[in-house]
Amino acid sequence: MNHLNDKVPDKIGRITELAYNLWWSWTPEARGLFRRLDYPLWRKTLHNPVQMLQEISPLKLQEAAQDSTFLRQYNKVMMLFDDTMKNHDSWFYQTYPELADKTIAYFSFEFGLHSSLPIYSGGLGILSGDHAKEASDLGLPFVGVGFMYPQGYFRQRIPSHGWQEAVYQQLDISQAPVLPVLNGDGHEMRISVNLGGRRVSARIWHVQVGRNPLFLLDTDVDENEPWDRELSARLYSGDSETRIRQEIMLGIGGVRALRALGINPTAWHMNEGHSAFLTLECIRELVAEGKNFEEAVAIVKKQSIFTTHTPVPAGHDAFGFQMVEQYFNGFWDELGINREHFLSLGGHEEEWGMAFNMTVLALRLSGQANGVSKLHGEISREMWQEVWPDKPVDEVPISSITNGVHVPTWIAGEVHNIFDKYIGPGWLEQHDNPAIWQRLAEAPDDEMWDVHLALKRKLMSYLRERVRRRWVNGTNDPTQVLTSGTLLDPEALTIGFARRFATYKRATLIFRDLERLQRIMMDIHRPVQFIFAGKAHPADEPGKSLIQHIYNLAKHNQLGGRIAFVEDYDMHMARYLTQGVDVWLNNPRRPREASGTSGMKAAINGIPNFSILDGWWVEGYNGANGWAIGDEREFENHEVQDEYDANFIYQVLEEEIVPLYYSRDRDGIPRGWVEIMRECIGSNAPMFGTRRMIKEYTTELYIKALRASEANSN
Ligand SMILES: *Cc1c(COP(=O)(O)O)cnc(C)c1O
């Protein structure tokens, strides 16, 4: 921060503090302040205040410090900021004052907080980011632990042949909202772990997420060997050995980082099995204090919470016993157990033989576990029943808490304003209360529709300007100018599909009967168009071939530019898409979608879902707030399922969605459609926000762990 402090005039000096607290990113008043400071630069830096303050001319800052309107706004924002940081009226503090001095540690491999900190790949990361933000809003005593990946996930480029290329860019960390943690003597703090016989060190980056810190480990430090320096360079790019090394660093190194910082959590939440080694480190500490293994396990179980995130077996990391031995040889002695006992903690029969499964480890050593939707809870109980061989499936202790999205992050400013006006300015504080949403009936149809159309135009101009910028910079060939959304028609019914290109998500299902789809799309009176976006994992060849398939259709002149594939999907683009299309499409192979969250982002903005009854939509769909694909039926044969689901999609499009969208009254307003938009918001907004979710995590899981620790220390 120091390098900025010299430049910023005292009168607005705390604006750097604001830039380094991601609170600004979900607070409209704070965003407005940065926008006002230098709007072109705000846009150029893709809303990155840290970079902006570095690049802004000192003159602009001087002017701002003299401008009474700016100063008034600045003071207002800083007052709001200080009030928020005090925390005394937060939900947690008011509800559980006796637990306010405890700490919940939340470990995750990825955090999707803002596009200026690209340390996420998809849904899991976005969920962690939203979880951390809401934990701040509700005042939970919370600290996050993750990785700083200086090369992030990857940037997606799609050349004219349509085969995705992965570009790794070194993040300029000085332009990210992170600062190194320093020791008392002013040097960077270090922690280290033993990785296969070598000490590997990590520095710790601090990200402030509202009221709470998030700490990110980074092994790119001078004293490490080159191989070790690379360890945290990228997210999910390595082989299985890189992965176990990363997971040891996150789990064991993460515990050590918190200890080094003087933070002693009373509840430990593992978001996914990636961080499950943390339980072993906690056991090791207790054994070193004189407990025996069983006593230590009992304590660790009480304080540990585990959330599993996918019903896809390959999504659960498992390591060969030999590799585990190589990295944990000797560690089991410190736990007071032998090799066989150690390996049995994660023992699980994989398709390729017995292995050490991180989900099994996490389940064995956490007292509380959950899936991320009701259906996913059910599937998880079946999937992991073997961990409790003496319990019938329905008594397997894996509960469920359905995911949510952080409403202030994902709501469009324009929609926010409508809610302020018709529900009342306090709506955000109470948005998990279903009763307040009845007031949305008072928002006039034309106003709701106008706001939606404005957001749709905003999306199209965002896509157009994005292509223009790339074209000017010479990174695009002319084909891409055609395929990236420049030919989209702002009047046409627009369907959005954006997510990771994992094959179970069936991105190309809609193209199964191309002729039928073409008839739907090319109707001159009632045209329909599609916007696709998403990355395939760099090693996922089938996923990449789905992208190529869509890309080739986007180039096809017979489809008239009504299909766009927009490269390099990220949070920034996700906001435009989930706020600006007309319908959000999701057609995974049931029951593979544990929850899904992009549809929730769309729903809170009044964009109805058209989705398979999988994940959250089984709970969200009520017959009047969007459309279902299929009827919860699952076929053994994938071909049959695909055929059935595709036909279902065409039929609902032809008979319901398209006619309703184009049925306008004399003022040009589709009254029936607006009714669905209103129902979509009213029924989903209270249920699928992280506000409801974090309250459930707190009352159902965290509290138990926090109170158990009290019993221990007494
Ligand atoms: C919300 C979001 C996701 C998650 O989408 P799903 O519908 O859960 O697949 C993935 N990537 C980005 C960039 C997002 O914003």
Side-chain angles (χ1 to χ4, degrees):
M1 237 191 279
N2 298 336
H3 58 293
L4 293 178
N5 281 348
D6 300 339
K7 181 170 167 187
V8 180
D10 286 345
K11 261 187 160 165
I12 53 170
R14 290 183 68 204
I15 203 162
T16 48
E17 188 184 336
L18 202 60
Y20 277 97
N21 188 330
L22 286 167
W23 177 81
W24 70 261
S25 72
W26 72 90
T27 309
E29 293 87 344
R31 280 212 301 269
L33 190 69
F34 288 117
R35 197 180 304 127
R36 175 181 277 266
L37 189 58
D38 187 339
Y39 185 59
L41 195 55
W42 174 246
R43 295 199 55 184
K44 184 202 152 230
T45 60
L46 302 176
H47 307 179
N48 178 347
V50 173
Q51 185 185 355
M52 207 176 137
L53 290 177
Q54 281 173 8
E55 295 182 3
I56 196 169
S57 81
L59 194 65
K60 264 253 150 64
L61 287 170
Q62 299 294 345
E63 278 168 15
Q66 312 285 324
D67 173 353
S68 60
T69 323
F70 186 86
L71 282 177
R72 216 172 312 123
Q73 199 175 346
Y74 168 81
N75 289 326
K76 208 173 127 198
V77 171
M78 292 321 296
M79 228 151 75
L80 182 64
F81 181 62
D82 289 337
D83 265 1
T84 309
M85 295 309 134
K86 269 192 227 123
N87 195 8
H88 287 278
D89 1 298
S90 73
W91 172 79
F92 188 92
Y93 199 90
Q94 294 289 325
T95 320
Y96 305 103
E98 76 285 5
L99 298 174
D101 63 341
K102 306 282 176 195
T103 304
I104 302 156
Y106 178 87
F107 280 58
S108 185
F109 225 42
E110 38 175 317
F111 283 89
L113 290 157
H114 187 259
S115 35
S116 58
L117 191 59
I119 54 169
Y120 63 91
S121 77
L124 180 73
I126 306 292
L127 183 80
S128 312
D130 281 5
H131 193 114
K133 290 171 182 172
E134 190 71 52
S136 165
D137 290 348
L138 286 173
L140 270 65
F142 183 91
V143 45
V145 179
F147 265 123
M148 180 74 218
Y149 304 99
Q151 294 178 23
Y153 188 41
F154 68 93
R155 307 292 303 267
Q156 180 191 49
R157 291 280 169 271
I158 305 188
S160 53
H161 50 63
W163 198 254
Q164 163 190 299
E165 288 173 359
V167 180
Y168 292 92
Q169 265 172 6
Q170 191 70 26
L171 175 74
D172 180 348
I173 295 190
S174 74
Q175 295 185 340
V178 304
L179 293 166
V181 174
L182 305 180
N183 275 329
D185 61 5
H187 291 100
E188 284 182 0
M189 186 180 277
R190 291 283 194 272
I191 57 100
S192 69
V193 297
N194 173 353
L195 284 180
R198 270 211 315 285
R199 287 261 117 229
V200 177
S201 301
R203 74 157 73 79
I204 308 166
W205 294 98
H206 175 168
V207 186
Q208 192 64 25
V209 186
R211 292 161 168 150
N212 302 319
L214 161 65
F215 297 105
L216 303 175
L217 302 174
D218 173 10
T219 62
D220 188 17
V221 294
D222 292 340
E223 63 268 33
N224 284 342
E225 301 284 330
W227 192 42
D228 301 325
R229 294 186 73 146
E230 283 279 307
L231 185 61
S232 64
R234 299 171 182 181
L235 181 58
Y236 302 137
S237 71
D239 48 18
S240 145
E241 181 155 15
T242 306
R243 187 66 85 91
I244 196 173
R245 288 156 46 82
Q246 287 184 326
E247 296 188 0
I248 293 169
M249 185 48 94
L250 178 63
I252 296 179
V255 175
R256 292 185 185 166
L258 293 177
R259 301 297 187 210
L261 287 154
I263 299 172
N264 295 304
T266 35
W268 301 75
H269 186 173
M270 290 163 266
N271 191 45
E272 248 298 321
H274 302 135
S275 54
F277 289 135
L278 79 82
T279 54
L280 301 180
E281 175 67 0
C282 289
I283 294 172
R284 192 192 62 80
E285 290 178 337
L286 289 162
V287 170
E289 284 168 20
K291 301 266 188 305
N292 69 30
F293 179 73
E294 279 72 29
E295 291 164 345
V297 166
I299 294 173
V300 166
K301 280 180 87 152
K302 279 193 192 143
Q303 66 190 25
S304 303
I305 294 148
F306 168 56
T307 303
T308 178
H309 281 270
T310 178
V312 179
H316 298 260
D317 281 340
F319 303 107
F321 280 161
Q322 217 181 346
M323 194 185 289
V324 175
E325 279 197 66
Q326 185 192 331
Y327 283 96
F328 284 91
N329 193 356
F331 193 89
W332 49 71
D333 299 330
E334 291 184 67
L335 305 184
I337 58 176
N338 63 21
R339 171 185 168 278
E340 285 67 35
H341 190 169
F342 184 89
L343 293 176
S344 74
L345 295 173
H348 178 67
E349 189 69 42
E350 304 291 328
E351 269 176 32
W352 42 277
M354 270 308 264
F356 194 92
N357 183 298
M358 296 301 283
T359 299
V360 170
L361 176 70
L363 288 171
R364 290 232 160 90
L365 294 178
S366 332
Q368 306 183 79
N370 70 294
V372 291
S373 69
K374 290 197 173 84
L375 180 59
H376 178 235
E378 264 171 52
I379 306 282
S380 303
R381 286 189 286 277
E382 272 168 42
M383 216 170 148
W384 303 108
Q385 194 249 343
E386 57 166 270
V387 179
W388 293 270
D390 52 344
K391 281 196 201 296
V393 168
D394 56 354
E395 284 174 29
V396 166
I398 303 178
S399 64
S400 72
I401 292 179
T402 304
N403 283 345
V405 293
H406 184 243
V407 172
T409 294
W410 297 105
I411 199 90
E414 293 82 344
V415 177
H416 198 299
N417 292 342
I418 287 221
F419 295 169
D420 276 348
K421 191 162 159 195
Y422 295 100
I423 299 178
W427 72 269
L428 188 56
E429 261 319 298
Q430 310 171 51
H431 73 260
D432 57 332
N433 174 3
I436 66 164
W437 293 96
Q438 285 163 12
R439 287 184 228 148
L440 201 58
E442 279 146 48
D445 287 356
D446 57 347
E447 219 171 308
M448 299 246 318
W449 185 241
D450 284 349
V451 159
H452 174 64
L453 288 184
L455 287 165
K456 193 168 166 184
R457 281 193 300 272
K458 206 164 154 181
L459 163 66
M460 308 239 166
S461 95
Y462 161 76
L463 295 177
R464 199 168 48 242
E465 292 313 311
R466 203 165 179 274
V467 188
R468 193 195 310 280
R469 203 168 50 237
R470 283 168 190 234
W471 200 30
V472 168
N473 292 338
T475 48
N476 265 43
D477 62 63
T479 338
Q480 260 173 318
V481 179
L482 294 179
T483 54
S484 304
T486 44
L487 290 177
L488 292 172
D489 172 0
E491 307 285 321
L493 169 59
T494 305
I495 300 179
F497 182 105
R499 47 184 53 84
R500 286 182 307 113
F501 268 61
T503 43
Y504 77 84
K505 294 188 184 242
R506 297 193 295 184
T508 56
L509 185 67
I510 186 96
F511 302 113
R512 209 176 151 86
D513 182 345
L514 196 55
E515 268 175 43
R516 188 164 172 192
L517 180 68
Q518 204 169 352
R519 274 198 304 279
I520 297 172
M521 291 174 65
M522 303 301 283
D523 185 313
I524 47 170
H525 301 295
R526 308 186 305 183
V528 177
Q529 59 193 3
F530 290 87
I531 305 177
F532 285 88
K535 299 173 178 176
H537 184 279
D540 180 8
E541 305 300 308
K544 283 187 256 185
S545 110
L546 296 178
I547 291 176
Q548 189 177 42
H549 185 124
I550 297 174
Y551 192 82
N552 285 336
L553 290 167
K555 283 197 290 196
H556 203 316
N557 62 332
Q558 298 296 305
L559 292 170
R562 297 206 189 281
I563 292 174
F565 192 101
V566 197
E567 63 181 14
D568 207 29
Y569 183 47
D570 70 354
M571 283 182 80
H572 193 64
M573 190 194 300
R575 280 168 53 92
Y576 283 96
L577 287 172
T578 56
Q579 295 170 3
V581 298
D582 296 307
V583 174
W584 195 251
L585 174 68
N586 189 19
N587 47 34
R589 193 182 301 291
R590 189 185 138 104
R592 305 278 174 91
E593 182 96 315
S595 165
T597 54
S598 58
M600 302 172 182
K601 301 168 195 165
I604 60 173
N605 285 296
I607 291 165
N609 279 262
F610 179 28
S611 169
I612 297 278
L613 288 166
D614 195 8
W616 78 280
W617 192 230
V618 181
E619 296 161 54
Y621 178 60
N622 70 5
N625 60 358
W627 299 272
I629 302 170
D631 38 24
E632 309 196 37
R633 230 186 321 161
E634 290 158 27
F635 298 85
E636 277 294 312
N637 183 315
H638 284 178
E639 276 298 308
V640 176
Q641 180 91 56
D642 291 355
E643 184 68 18
Y644 181 82
D645 290 343
N647 280 327
F648 210 103
I649 293 177
Y650 299 133
Q651 196 175 344
V652 175
L653 275 177
E654 290 160 348
E655 293 174 7
E656 297 180 43
I657 296 181
V658 177
L660 190 68
Y661 184 82
Y662 284 105
S663 142
R664 309 291 166 97
D665 70 359
R666 253 177 312 182
D667 302 323
I669 295 167
R671 303 272 169 194
W673 191 270
V674 176
E675 208 33 63
I676 290 193
M677 289 176 62
R678 196 180 273 114
E679 179 64 24
C680 160
I681 297 171
S683 59
N684 292 316
M687 298 314 298
F688 300 104
T690 40
R691 176 130 315 190
R692 184 269 313 150
M693 180 186 90
I694 295 286
K695 284 184 179 174
E696 284 183 12
Y697 272 101
T698 305
T699 54
E700 292 173 24
L701 307 177
Y702 291 154
I703 288 306
K704 215 187 277 174
L706 295 177
R707 295 218 163 112
S709 83
E710 223 152 51
N712 284 337
S713 49
N714 288 344

